[in-house]
Amino acid sequence: MKRILFDRLDNWFNTSIVFTSIALLFTSATFGERLGVYEIIIDRAFFILQLIYFGKFFIFKRTINWNKAGINIRLKWFKDAHIPFSDIARCTYNNETLEIIKSNGKTYNFDLSKIHNQDQEKLIAIFKGRLPNAQFHII
């Protein structure tokens, strides 16, 4: 069974990496040459933090990222789907297949048959927690 990396985008770790990176970039851009040798250290720290943050998307083949606004599902190497929760008209889980229908009529079908059972349950729990009962159905 294949595993999925679940990454909640609004947790403290991701938020601290982003804000620290922005602070390092601002410091390097503002004070620049006045920092001397420390400018190189600050620039390298910025790039290392960016590598940590974005590197997980290249290391893991299957990732699910979400926050209160939407979800990004990537179950294949470069094919992903970004779906805002407010645009979901209906979501159905049937025989290890997740079907998401957006308000504009676009349909996403995800085959979860090769995905580990705990990961399937966690994905379903995300949709249950974010969507009203009228929009989410388990058949």
Side-chain angles (χ1 to χ4, degrees):
M1 292 291 188
K2 298 177 181 177
R3 298 303 304 241
I4 296 175
L5 172 70
F6 288 90
D7 186 27
R8 185 176 175 135
L9 295 175
D10 55 356
N11 65 8
W12 68 270
F13 182 73
N14 287 337
T15 305
S16 63
I17 285 180
V18 169
F19 283 124
T20 305
S21 296
I22 290 171
L24 289 173
L25 183 63
F26 178 75
T27 303
S28 177
T30 303
F31 300 110
E33 296 175 359
R34 289 185 272 177
L35 294 172
V37 176
Y38 296 112
E39 181 185 13
I40 296 169
I41 295 170
I42 289 172
D43 288 343
R44 289 185 181 165
F46 168 75
F47 286 116
I48 288 171
L49 286 174
Q50 292 299 304
L51 184 65
I52 289 170
Y53 183 75
F54 290 111
K56 58 189 163 193
F57 303 122
F58 293 106
I59 293 171
F60 295 99
K61 184 177 180 180
R62 290 165 295 280
T63 59
I64 294 179
N65 310 320
W66 81 99
N67 59 11
K68 61 183 175 182
I71 190 165
N72 189 10
I73 301 173
R74 184 177 71 159
L75 297 178
K76 296 182 181 173
W77 189 252
F78 282 110
K79 187 176 181 182
D80 65 342
H82 174 71
I83 307 165
F85 288 122
S86 61
D87 289 349
I88 296 177
R90 196 176 90 228
C91 182
T92 307
Y93 181 70
N94 183 11
N95 294 334
E96 296 185 341
T97 301
L98 183 67
E99 180 184 30
I100 301 170
I101 301 172
K102 290 177 70 174
S103 300
N104 62 4
K106 187 169 183 177
T107 303
Y108 296 98
N109 289 316
F110 298 103
D111 182 22
L112 303 178
S113 61
K114 296 178 183 176
I115 304 298
H116 197 272
N117 291 336
Q118 290 177 346
D119 294 339
Q120 289 180 16
E121 292 170 4
K122 191 167 185 178
L123 180 60
I124 291 168
I126 292 170
F127 279 105
K128 276 185 182 178
R130 299 291 179 194
L131 297 176
N133 291 335
Q135 291 179 340
F136 186 77
H137 304 285
I138 298 177
I139 299 174

